[in-house]
Amino acid sequence: MAGSTFGNIFKITTFGESHGAGVGVIVDGCPAGLLLDASDIQKDLDRRKPGQSKFTTQRKEDDEVEILSGVFEGKTLGTPICLLIRNTSQRSKDYGAIKDTYRPGHADFGFDAKYGFRDYRGGGRSSGRETAARVAAGAIAKKALKELGINVFAYTSSVSSIECDLANFDLNEVSNNMLYMPDAQAAKKASELVEEMRKKGDSVGGSVTLIAKGMPAGVGEPVFDKLDAKLSQAIMSVGAVKAVEIGDGIKASLSCGSQNNDNFYMNDGKVSVKTNHAGGILGGISNGADIVLKAYFKPTPSIYTEQSTVNNKGEDVNIKIEGRHDPIIVPRAVVVVENMAAIVLFDGLLMNATSSMDKIKKLY
Amino acid sequence: MAGSTFGNIFKITTFGESHGAGVGVIVDGCPAGLLLDASDIQKDLDRRKPGQSKFTTQRKEDDEVEILSGVFEGKTLGTPICLLIRNTSQRSKDYGAIKDTYRPGHADFGFDAKYGFRDYRGGGRSSGRETAARVAAGAIAKKALKELGINVFAYTSSVSSIECDLANFDLNEVSNNMLYMPDAQAAKKASELVEEMRKKGDSVGGSVTLIAKGMPAGVGEPVFDKLDAKLSQAIMSVGAVKAVEIGDGIKASLSCGSQNNDNFYMNDGKVSVKTNHAGGILGGISNGADIVLKAYFKPTPSIYTEQSTVNNKGEDVNIKIEGRHDPIIVPRAVVVVENMAAIVLFDGLLMNATSSMDKIKKLY
Amino acid sequence: MAGSTFGNIFKITTFGESHGAGVGVIVDGCPAGLLLDASDIQKDLDRRKPGQSKFTTQRKEDDEVEILSGVFEGKTLGTPICLLIRNTSQRSKDYGAIKDTYRPGHADFGFDAKYGFRDYRGGGRSSGRETAARVAAGAIAKKALKELGINVFAYTSSVSSIECDLANFDLNEVSNNMLYMPDAQAAKKASELVEEMRKKGDSVGGSVTLIAKGMPAGVGEPVFDKLDAKLSQAIMSVGAVKAVEIGDGIKASLSCGSQNNDNFYMNDGKVSVKTNHAGGILGGISNGADIVLKAYFKPTPSIYTEQSTVNNKGEDVNIKIEGRHDPIIVPRAVVVVENMAAIVLFDGLLMNATSSMDKIKKLY
Amino acid sequence: MAGSTFGNIFKITTFGESHGAGVGVIVDGCPAGLLLDASDIQKDLDRRKPGQSKFTTQRKEDDEVEILSGVFEGKTLGTPICLLIRNTSQRSKDYGAIKDTYRPGHADFGFDAKYGFRDYRGGGRSSGRETAARVAAGAIAKKALKELGINVFAYTSSVSSIECDLANFDLNEVSNNMLYMPDAQAAKKASELVEEMRKKGDSVGGSVTLIAKGMPAGVGEPVFDKLDAKLSQAIMSVGAVKAVEIGDGIKASLSCGSQNNDNFYMNDGKVSVKTNHAGGILGGISNGADIVLKAYFKPTPSIYTEQSTVNNKGEDVNIKIEGRHDPIIVPRAVVVVENMAAIVLFDGLLMNATSSMDKIKKLY
């Protein structure tokens, strides 16, 4: 029961290890007739790929996607779309240090405990590389959402304790700095911090904010598949995420009801909210306001300083991890959060298609 | 696709509206041979039920559980266990105020947008009452975990900005105060705050901490069904939860790798960690340390002050909510968080049963 | 992983043992706004219940259904519908003979091998009584199909080797005879045979034909969830079914392509078929013709003659089964086949709601 | 909800169109530590591939499998195994005849009705080529079953009305004739018939028998996921199958209880059956006897004679299908039935791993 499938109707199943032949995904349940070509997917893969700046792995990878099925004459067929991204830069090398020794902060020990065996040539299945497949699948969901007038985007909202300041907030700035922050000043400070940590061989964490505009009200299922519950699963399943907030999140727990409730009012004939503490979701169902979510990432566990740990013979040992690693994972994770959220939202829209006999009667 | 089912092998499906005949659950996939009787479930329902103190709804409800199937001669049969809790205190009354008007902070509007129709006699399916079914199902999971040496428990860790102080931490204290806080002093201060808010007709939020001791390493699936991802879905699907943290959560995003990594060491022949910033989960898989999670709740949206909102004719109106409501939902949610986590953990243990041919060969 | 759930969107989960408190079902995913009251379900339960004739168990059971949730003011809410049918005629008695001994043709041994334990007071979960829950759920699907202009019905097509003769075929006759055969002469001959077997303490089998009229073309998923594949699972999962045919079934394997292909032609502006060897399904997808399926039932395994078998101590023993048993199960199974098929067809219609962006755009 | 996934724990998801880049499958949930290399899969693909004899498509295809993930150092990792089989012989040609016109007996019309659009260059997703992916996945299940002492095999049991005669039955003969029949004489007669039909441009059907030896008792879930129900879905989901029988199948419906019941007896300390009318399954659960199933195939719908049909403009037209087609699909389907059954049986064994607390306690 390896849990590599996500989604109820728009269903994705990923595969691949970091140092095997490649990673990829099958998207089953994408409706027919969506205009799609490889470039729609490639541009998101490029946002995620390593080697873009000194803050990301210097490993050069092309991350070129091949569409193996499900698209014909530029449109989706309604049948499974298989996307393959070959691994190109696996170097044959001596994995000695990490072969038998469990890296702190990594899943190595867990994999051995679970399977009795693992691909020791890197993170294998637990590598961040697995998210390339998610990004590819999510690019399709995002394209479908756009056709329905829904726009999903994300950005880095903090690096360590450096947060974006609303006074300087400018979405256009996101593509201007290597950290994808919508605040030029914060980005500058954060860059200095990351550079300092990189030189020390250490790493930092941070957070990503996700916003979806244009979601219709009524999407999300009432109990276990609440829109916020599925978003939480989707985002928490991204490696290194340690917390998820919806709307005001923790701040809501410090507020009182009379302040935290978002009052409804009619705005241009549409039910709207005066504030959006809830992040667009009440009782697990969208209320038509912006969906707002925040994901917090731990610092990259691969650091250059020597660490104490144990090996697979049950001995206390020290480990020094070689290779090139990101001193911060957050900027590369922005598109991962964005696309995972898109999958949840589009899947929610599809699930909602059968919520009433009135809808069914429009179709038959 | 109403999403009322949760779990992969230990699978629960809940039903019921707050003002219908009752609420309940089918637990499918519980292994045969677990000792179980109604009292195992009843004692957890009693921890959740209203009318226990002035901080909980004064509505008296017995919340008595009936086992309709799946148990024979005091043991589970391996077949579906259906548990029914009848609603006893529905009063026939005039629902005028909330029948046509959307309560701020509630799912009323979302339900109408989704289904075109709703049970207006209260929260219906979105009522906190639905969690009684989860508590009942989770009591079974918790019993099974206990047989395997795993102990799951939760407590209130904060009320508004009043947090438990580690210096005063005493688990025995939890059952001594109405807020289920393991710190007598914090509980006293918090009680005063809640009482003050109750008198004002307002409400407050807070947080719940969940700990599981004794989880073996290797449980959790590598990608979308990571143990922390499923825990997040489970907990975020509880009404009023707005944030979930695993281990250090947000604090991890402020740390650096050299501090946040938990170093492994051999302790009495067992791979252990010197710190537990990760909350017992790495790469979605348990590492044998305590599982630690924190859930943050918004203030109860039902407050007594008049609020502006809209009605189902699309008119701006004011609403004043009658009836009795908890000024804080957190203490009653403690057992909900505890039992939802138990479901995820036990399901994870079951899913893990087929992770290797070595395990399969032990069984056949 | 007890497999008590069926369906993808219109999802049913059954529970209950033959001699426990009752049997029942949760229907999750039924669209909101369907007119429904208990009598819609009760009338199908009455077609299935024992004690109707000398060919069915004389055990009197009321099989009265209670709707516990999901229906409000005479309409479905879109939330889970829980239906409960209490067992009323369990007699406390000595189950000695079947408690420790495995009845030939029954699942007793399989249950012990699987669970190490079973409810020995009858079939338990493997009892035909479990089908009452399916019938109840299917009555809802059938009602929804009717609103969409789709009519599903079934009848007994053979009893042992006595088949209905097309020359005498009259659907009105079905409700005139205790065997539900649409051929009065065949019904008479069959009744004599069954009576003869009943007197001998033996039993016979037979077959049921299912027809659905009005299915639109395009329903069914291309690969594993083909409409015929799901129908086969649904029907074969009914106890005592040993074969399922779609359309001409086995006869198709004896034909040649030029005869077996159903030629399309335009009929009143609609794509139609001149023949219907395929039973309305090509490549797993409906083609707009009648859906036709046949299910074959083995003779009731509970017979009165003494049989050799083994007990749970691993000893060769003889068994003589007491109690009242149907000499033929087929007539009571007619409504089970009908309603299981209705569930598959309605679920197929719902699944098909998201097959193209054109459909989605009609809804958003 | 495209239904391209099958299995509960050993879960396969196929992709690919007949004339796209390739077909393939992700197997998620295969336990770690199974010895596996490409040749294990290739040898089954070779049994299915076209161009082997004059009775199979003359299109030469290599059907070479590439393992993209999930296998490391010759053993399965427990992570998803992705298998890719590139399409090599797509010829760019004029598809005029079938582009706009619905072939009788094919899913063309259904696809257009469903998706509003299809890959008209052949069967696309509904092509028999899709079964290559199933065969590849099933080869893994079969290998795992063999490690557990379970042997699954299939053969052609009839071609049109020519059946194998038990008097001549010889399993070694299966690999000696192009029709895979275990009776040399029947194979000779059948070959003559098929050759005659091929010359006429017509086609014939037939049947395949599947046997599994060594299945332990207790496998299969009691209600909807009965072993026979899942086998039926699996087999009926193979294109061209129109009927499935378990054990005696239709013959059981003609028998009486006293003859059809299989009496248990102790044989060498093992509960056994004196006869096997049930085909090894009672109440959906294996009883330790051979699993026996028969699948009936319609004649290949692609024939060379001109046929009347309609086109996608709603006009009555004639069609003459070009290209090379098998005059009988049965021999190539033998390995498809065998491997689909293997998937169900291995998945059933895995599902059964959590049926009792006793089993769980062996693992933790």
Side-chain angles (χ1 to χ4, degrees):
Chain A
M1 198 120 215
S4 298
T5 298
F6 184 74
N8 282 295
I9 294 185
F10 186 89
K11 200 176 278 198
I12 73 170
T13 304
T14 68
F15 64 89
E17 277 77 37
S18 59
H19 288 71
V23 299
V25 63
I26 297 177
V27 177
D28 199 21
C30 181
L34 178 70
L35 291 174
L36 186 74
D37 71 32
S39 67
D40 293 311
I41 298 158
Q42 193 63 51
K43 66 171 187 266
D44 275 357
L45 286 174
D46 291 346
R47 288 168 63 194
R48 197 211 71 95
K49 80 176 176 190
Q52 300 175 85
S53 80
K54 62 186 167 182
F55 297 159
T56 59
T57 307
Q58 296 305 303
R59 270 205 300 162
K60 272 271 177 266
E61 287 185 9
D62 283 334
D63 276 2
E64 196 177 333
V65 69
E66 181 184 10
I67 300 178
L68 291 173
S69 65
V71 178
F72 179 57
E73 299 186 336
K75 285 189 295 186
T76 57
L77 281 163
T79 58
I81 303 168
C82 186
L83 306 175
L84 173 61
I85 303 153
R86 295 224 173 238
N87 294 332
T88 51
S89 68
Q90 315 110 281
R91 294 141 303 168
S92 112
K93 67 164 187 182
D94 178 14
Y95 294 94
I98 61 173
K99 188 179 175 204
D100 305 318
T101 305
Y102 300 133
R103 292 170 295 169
H106 278 277
D108 304 344
F109 168 58
F111 269 68
D112 264 12
K114 183 176 196 66
Y115 300 115
F117 173 65
R118 80 193 145 94
D119 181 344
Y120 51 73
R121 297 170 301 171
R125 186 71 179 141
S126 75
S127 164
R129 180 145 187 76
E130 179 268 332
T131 60
R134 303 175 180 226
V135 168
I140 301 175
K142 219 162 51 181
K143 186 127 203 262
L145 287 173
K146 198 158 279 179
E147 281 208 12
L148 299 168
I150 301 157
N151 195 18
V152 184
F153 61 93
Y155 54 80
T156 300
S157 34
S158 68
V159 168
S160 195
S161 61
I162 302 163
E163 296 188 55
C164 291
D165 186 340
L166 270 179
N168 304 327
F169 193 90
D170 178 4
L171 270 181
N172 297 318
E173 180 58 32
V174 168
S175 47
N176 288 342
N177 65 76
M178 290 177 304
L179 292 167
Y180 299 120
M181 296 182 94
D183 171 347
Q185 284 177 251
K188 189 166 173 297
K189 272 178 65 183
S191 290
E192 288 161 9
L193 174 67
V194 177
E195 177 62 12
E196 184 193 321
M197 297 306 278
R198 191 179 70 80
K199 285 183 182 157
K200 276 205 238 174
D202 209 336
S203 62
V204 289
S207 69
V208 171
T209 294
L210 177 285
I211 295 172
K213 290 184 170 294
M215 272 299 284
V219 177
E221 304 303 315
V223 184
F224 301 114
D225 288 350
K226 284 185 162 89
L227 205 55
D228 38 2
K230 292 308 284 183
L231 283 167
S232 297
Q233 181 192 355
I235 302 304
M236 196 66 97
S237 77
V238 176
V241 175
K242 297 304 284 184
V244 176
E245 294 185 309
I246 305 293
D248 281 3
I250 291 181
K251 279 192 205 87
S253 80
L254 305 172
S255 185
C256 58
S258 57
Q259 284 170 8
N260 187 64
N261 282 349
D262 301 309
N263 292 96
F264 292 110
Y265 75 112
M266 295 307 298
N267 180 14
D268 217 1
K270 185 171 171 278
V271 174
S272 306
V273 281
K274 289 181 186 163
T275 51
N276 189 16
H277 299 298
I281 305 173
L282 287 172
I285 299 178
S286 63
N287 65 8
D290 289 358
I291 306 288
V292 183
L293 171 153
K294 210 164 162 187
Y296 293 84
F297 291 78
K298 71 176 185 182
T300 322
S302 291
I303 53 174
Y304 294 99
T305 35
E306 192 172 67
Q307 301 173 83
S308 68
T309 186
V310 303
N311 64 19
N312 62 11
K313 295 185 200 70
E315 299 162 338
D316 288 306
V317 294
N318 283 344
I319 188 170
K320 213 168 159 354
I321 302 172
E322 308 291 336
R324 293 175 182 279
H325 305 288
D326 299 4
I328 181 167
I329 200 69
V330 177
R332 289 179 62 198
V334 168
V335 68
V336 181
V337 169
E338 186 176 299
N339 286 17
M340 283 305 293
I343 290 167
V344 172
L345 298 179
F346 186 48
D347 193 36
L349 279 155
L350 298 179
M351 284 195 274
N352 195 44
T354 57
S355 63
S356 73
M357 287 300 287
D358 283 351
K359 287 180 187 162
I360 301 303
K361 285 175 182 170
K362 276 190 201 162
L363 300 177
Y364 294 106
Chain B
M1 199 122 215
S4 298
T5 298
F6 185 74
N8 281 296
I9 293 184
F10 186 88
K11 199 176 279 198
I12 74 170
T13 304
T14 68
F15 65 88
E17 279 77 37
S18 59
H19 288 71
V23 298
V25 63
I26 298 177
V27 177
D28 198 22
C30 182
L34 178 70
L35 291 174
L36 186 75
D37 72 32
S39 67
D40 294 310
I41 297 158
Q42 194 62 53
K43 66 169 187 270
D44 275 357
L45 286 174
D46 292 346
R47 288 169 63 194
R48 196 211 73 97
K49 81 175 174 191
Q52 300 176 86
S53 81
K54 60 184 169 184
F55 297 159
T56 60
T57 307
Q58 294 306 303
R59 273 204 296 163
K60 272 271 179 264
E61 289 184 9
D62 284 334
D63 277 2
E64 197 177 330
V65 69
E66 182 185 7
I67 300 178
L68 292 173
S69 65
V71 178
F72 179 59
E73 299 186 336
K75 283 189 296 185
T76 57
L77 281 164
T79 59
I81 303 167
C82 185
L83 307 174
L84 174 62
I85 303 152
R86 295 226 173 236
N87 295 333
T88 50
S89 68
Q90 315 111 279
R91 294 139 302 169
S92 112
K93 68 163 186 184
D94 178 15
Y95 295 96
I98 59 172
K99 188 180 174 204
D100 305 317
T101 305
Y102 301 132
R103 292 170 296 170
H106 278 278
D108 304 343
F109 168 58
F111 270 69
D112 265 10
K114 183 177 195 67
Y115 300 116
F117 174 66
R118 80 195 145 93
D119 182 344
Y120 52 73
R121 298 170 300 171
R125 186 70 179 140
S126 75
S127 165
R129 181 144 187 76
E130 179 267 333
T131 60
R134 303 175 182 226
V135 168
I140 301 174
K142 219 161 52 181
K143 187 127 204 263
L145 287 172
K146 198 159 278 177
E147 281 209 11
L148 300 168
I150 300 158
N151 195 19
V152 184
F153 60 93
Y155 54 80
T156 300
S157 34
S158 68
V159 168
S160 195
S161 61
I162 303 162
E163 297 187 53
C164 292
D165 186 341
L166 270 180
N168 304 326
F169 194 90
D170 177 5
L171 270 182
N172 297 319
E173 180 56 32
V174 168
S175 47
N176 288 341
N177 64 77
M178 292 176 302
L179 292 166
Y180 298 120
M181 296 181 94
D183 170 348
Q185 284 177 249
K188 190 167 172 298
K189 272 178 65 183
S191 291
E192 288 161 9
L193 173 66
V194 176
E195 177 61 10
E196 186 191 320
M197 296 305 278
R198 191 179 69 80
K199 284 184 181 155
K200 278 204 236 175
D202 209 337
S203 62
V204 289
S207 68
V208 171
T209 294
L210 177 285
I211 296 171
K213 289 185 171 294
M215 273 298 285
V219 177
E221 303 303 316
V223 184
F224 301 113
D225 288 351
K226 284 185 161 89
L227 204 54
D228 37 2
K230 293 308 285 183
L231 282 167
S232 296
Q233 180 192 357
I235 301 306
M236 195 67 95
S237 78
V238 176
V241 174
K242 298 304 284 184
V244 176
E245 294 186 307
I246 304 294
D248 282 3
I250 290 180
K251 277 192 208 86
S253 79
L254 305 171
S255 185
C256 57
S258 57
Q259 283 169 9
N260 187 65
N261 282 349
D262 300 310
N263 292 95
F264 292 110
Y265 74 113
M266 295 308 297
N267 181 13
D268 217 2
K270 185 173 170 279
V271 175
S272 306
V273 280
K274 289 180 185 165
T275 51
N276 189 15
H277 300 295
I281 305 174
L282 287 173
I285 300 177
S286 63
N287 66 8
D290 288 357
I291 306 287
V292 183
L293 170 154
K294 209 165 163 186
Y296 292 85
F297 290 78
K298 71 176 184 181
T300 323
S302 291
I303 54 174
Y304 294 99
T305 35
E306 193 173 66
Q307 301 174 82
S308 67
T309 186
V310 302
N311 64 19
N312 61 12
K313 294 185 199 69
E315 298 162 340
D316 287 306
V317 295
N318 283 345
I319 189 170
K320 212 167 158 0
I321 302 172
E322 307 292 335
R324 293 174 183 279
H325 305 287
D326 299 5
I328 182 167
I329 201 67
V330 176
R332 290 179 61 198
V334 168
V335 68
V336 181
V337 169
E338 185 176 301
N339 286 17
M340 283 304 295
I343 289 167
V344 172
L345 298 179
F346 187 47
D347 193 37
L349 279 154
L350 297 180
M351 284 194 273
N352 195 43
T354 57
S355 63
S356 72
M357 288 299 288
D358 282 352
K359 288 180 186 161
I360 301 303
K361 284 174 183 169
K362 275 190 202 163
L363 301 176
Y364 294 105
Chain C
M1 196 122 218
S4 297
T5 298
F6 184 74
N8 280 296
I9 294 184
F10 186 90
K11 199 176 279 199
I12 74 171
T13 305
T14 69
F15 65 88
E17 279 77 37
S18 59
H19 289 70
V23 299
V25 64
I26 297 177
V27 177
D28 197 21
C30 182
L34 177 70
L35 292 173
L36 186 74
D37 71 33
S39 67
D40 293 312
I41 297 159
Q42 193 61 52
K43 65 171 189 265
D44 274 358
L45 286 173
D46 291 347
R47 287 169 64 193
R48 196 212 72 94
K49 80 176 175 189
Q52 301 176 85
S53 80
K54 61 185 169 184
F55 297 158
T56 60
T57 307
Q58 295 305 302
R59 269 203 302 162
K60 271 273 178 266
E61 288 184 9
D62 284 333
D63 276 1
E64 197 177 330
V65 69
E66 181 185 8
I67 301 178
L68 291 173
S69 66
V71 178
F72 179 58
E73 299 187 336
K75 284 188 295 186
T76 56
L77 281 164
T79 58
I81 303 167
C82 185
L83 306 174
L84 173 61
I85 304 151
R86 295 223 174 240
N87 295 332
T88 51
S89 68
Q90 317 109 281
R91 293 140 302 170
S92 113
K93 68 166 189 184
D94 178 15
Y95 295 94
I98 61 173
K99 188 179 173 203
D100 306 317
T101 306
Y102 301 131
R103 292 169 298 169
H106 278 276
D108 303 344
F109 169 57
F111 269 67
D112 264 11
K114 183 177 196 66
Y115 300 115
F117 173 66
R118 79 194 146 93
D119 181 345
Y120 52 72
R121 297 169 302 171
R125 186 72 180 139
S126 75
S127 165
R129 179 143 189 78
E130 178 268 333
T131 61
R134 303 175 182 227
V135 167
I140 301 175
K142 219 161 53 183
K143 187 125 202 267
L145 287 172
K146 198 159 279 176
E147 280 209 13
L148 299 169
I150 301 158
N151 195 19
V152 184
F153 61 92
Y155 53 80
T156 300
S157 35
S158 68
V159 168
S160 194
S161 61
I162 302 164
E163 297 187 53
C164 292
D165 186 340
L166 270 180
N168 303 327
F169 193 90
D170 178 5
L171 270 181
N172 296 318
E173 181 56 32
V174 168
S175 50
N176 287 342
N177 65 75
M178 292 176 304
L179 292 166
Y180 298 120
M181 297 181 93
D183 170 348
Q185 283 178 251
K188 189 166 175 298
K189 273 177 66 183
S191 291
E192 288 162 8
L193 173 67
V194 177
E195 178 61 12
E196 185 191 320
M197 297 305 279
R198 190 180 69 82
K199 284 185 180 155
K200 277 204 234 173
D202 208 337
S203 63
V204 290
S207 68
V208 171
T209 295
L210 176 287
I211 295 172
K213 289 185 172 294
M215 272 299 282
V219 177
E221 304 303 316
V223 183
F224 301 114
D225 288 350
K226 284 186 161 90
L227 204 54
D228 38 2
K230 292 308 285 183
L231 283 167
S232 296
Q233 181 192 357
I235 301 305
M236 196 66 96
S237 77
V238 176
V241 174
K242 299 303 284 184
V244 176
E245 293 185 310
I246 304 293
D248 282 3
I250 291 181
K251 278 192 207 87
S253 79
L254 306 171
S255 185
C256 56
S258 57
Q259 283 169 10
N260 186 65
N261 282 350
D262 300 310
N263 293 95
F264 292 110
Y265 75 111
M266 294 308 297
N267 180 14
D268 219 359
K270 185 174 170 279
V271 174
S272 306
V273 282
K274 290 182 184 162
T275 50
N276 189 15
H277 300 298
I281 304 173
L282 287 172
I285 299 177
S286 63
N287 65 9
D290 289 357
I291 306 289
V292 183
L293 170 154
K294 211 165 163 186
Y296 293 85
F297 291 79
K298 70 176 185 181
T300 322
S302 291
I303 55 174
Y304 293 99
T305 35
E306 192 171 68
Q307 302 174 82
S308 68
T309 186
V310 303
N311 63 19
N312 60 12
K313 295 185 200 71
E315 298 162 339
D316 288 305
V317 294
N318 283 344
I319 188 171
K320 212 166 159 353
I321 302 172
E322 306 293 334
R324 293 174 183 280
H325 304 287
D326 299 3
I328 182 168
I329 201 68
V330 177
R332 289 180 62 198
V334 167
V335 68
V336 181
V337 169
E338 187 176 298
N339 287 18
M340 283 304 294
I343 289 166
V344 172
L345 297 179
F346 187 48
D347 192 37
L349 279 155
L350 297 180
M351 283 195 274
N352 195 44
T354 57
S355 62
S356 72
M357 288 300 288
D358 283 351
K359 287 179 187 161
I360 301 304
K361 285 175 182 170
K362 276 190 201 162
L363 301 176
Y364 293 105
Chain D
M1 197 121 215
S4 299
T5 299
F6 184 74
N8 282 295
I9 294 183
F10 186 90
K11 199 176 278 199
I12 73 170
T13 304
T14 68
F15 65 89
E17 280 75 38
S18 58
H19 289 70
V23 299
V25 63
I26 298 177
V27 177
D28 198 21
C30 181
L34 177 70
L35 292 173
L36 186 74
D37 71 34
S39 66
D40 293 311
I41 297 159
Q42 194 61 53
K43 66 171 189 265
D44 274 358
L45 286 174
D46 291 346
R47 287 169 63 194
R48 197 211 72 95
K49 80 175 177 190
Q52 301 175 86
S53 80
K54 61 184 170 184
F55 297 159
T56 60
T57 308
Q58 294 305 302
R59 272 205 298 162
K60 271 273 178 265
E61 290 184 8
D62 282 333
D63 276 2
E64 196 177 331
V65 70
E66 181 185 9
I67 301 178
L68 292 174
S69 66
V71 178
F72 180 58
E73 300 188 334
K75 284 189 294 185
T76 56
L77 281 164
T79 58
I81 304 167
C82 185
L83 306 175
L84 173 62
I85 304 152
R86 296 224 172 237
N87 294 332
T88 50
S89 68
Q90 316 110 280
R91 292 142 303 170
S92 113
K93 70 164 186 183
D94 177 16
Y95 294 95
I98 60 173
K99 187 180 174 204
D100 304 317
T101 305
Y102 300 132
R103 292 169 297 169
H106 278 276
D108 304 343
F109 170 57
F111 269 68
D112 264 11
K114 184 177 196 65
Y115 300 114
F117 173 64
R118 80 196 143 91
D119 181 345
Y120 51 73
R121 296 170 300 171
R125 186 72 179 140
S126 75
S127 164
R129 178 140 190 80
E130 178 268 333
T131 60
R134 304 175 180 227
V135 167
I140 301 175
K142 219 161 54 182
K143 186 126 204 263
L145 287 172
K146 197 158 279 177
E147 280 208 12
L148 299 168
I150 301 159
N151 194 18
V152 184
F153 60 92
Y155 53 80
T156 300
S157 35
S158 67
V159 168
S160 195
S161 61
I162 302 162
E163 298 188 52
C164 293
D165 186 340
L166 272 180
N168 304 328
F169 193 90
D170 178 5
L171 270 181
N172 296 318
E173 180 55 32
V174 169
S175 48
N176 287 342
N177 64 76
M178 292 177 303
L179 292 166
Y180 298 120
M181 298 182 92
D183 169 348
Q185 282 176 252
K188 190 167 173 296
K189 271 177 66 183
S191 291
E192 289 161 7
L193 173 66
V194 177
E195 177 62 11
E196 186 192 320
M197 297 305 279
R198 191 180 70 80
K199 284 185 181 155
K200 277 205 234 173
D202 209 338
S203 64
V204 290
S207 68
V208 170
T209 294
L210 176 286
I211 295 171
K213 289 183 173 293
M215 272 298 283
V219 177
E221 303 303 315
V223 184
F224 301 114
D225 288 351
K226 285 185 161 87
L227 204 54
D228 37 2
K230 292 308 284 183
L231 283 167
S232 296
Q233 180 192 357
I235 301 304
M236 196 66 96
S237 77
V238 177
V241 174
K242 299 303 286 184
V244 176
E245 295 185 308
I246 304 294
D248 282 3
I250 291 181
K251 278 192 206 86
S253 80
L254 306 171
S255 184
C256 57
S258 57
Q259 283 169 10
N260 187 64
N261 281 350
D262 300 310
N263 292 95
F264 292 110
Y265 74 111
M266 294 308 297
N267 180 15
D268 217 0
K270 185 173 170 280
V271 175
S272 306
V273 281
K274 289 181 185 164
T275 51
N276 189 15
H277 299 298
I281 305 173
L282 287 173
I285 299 176
S286 63
N287 65 9
D290 290 356
I291 307 288
V292 183
L293 170 154
K294 209 165 162 186
Y296 293 86
F297 290 78
K298 70 176 185 181
T300 322
S302 291
I303 54 174
Y304 294 100
T305 36
E306 193 173 67
Q307 301 174 83
S308 66
T309 187
V310 302
N311 64 20
N312 61 11
K313 296 184 199 71
E315 299 162 338
D316 288 306
V317 294
N318 283 344
I319 189 171
K320 212 166 161 353
I321 302 172
E322 307 292 334
R324 293 173 182 280
H325 304 286
D326 299 4
I328 182 167
I329 201 68
V330 177
R332 289 179 62 198
V334 167
V335 69
V336 181
V337 169
E338 186 175 300
N339 286 19
M340 283 304 294
I343 290 166
V344 173
L345 298 178
F346 186 48
D347 193 36
L349 279 155
L350 296 180
M351 284 195 273
N352 195 45
T354 58
S355 63
S356 73
M357 288 301 287
D358 283 352
K359 287 179 187 161
I360 301 303
K361 286 175 182 169
K362 276 189 202 163
L363 301 177
Y364 293 106

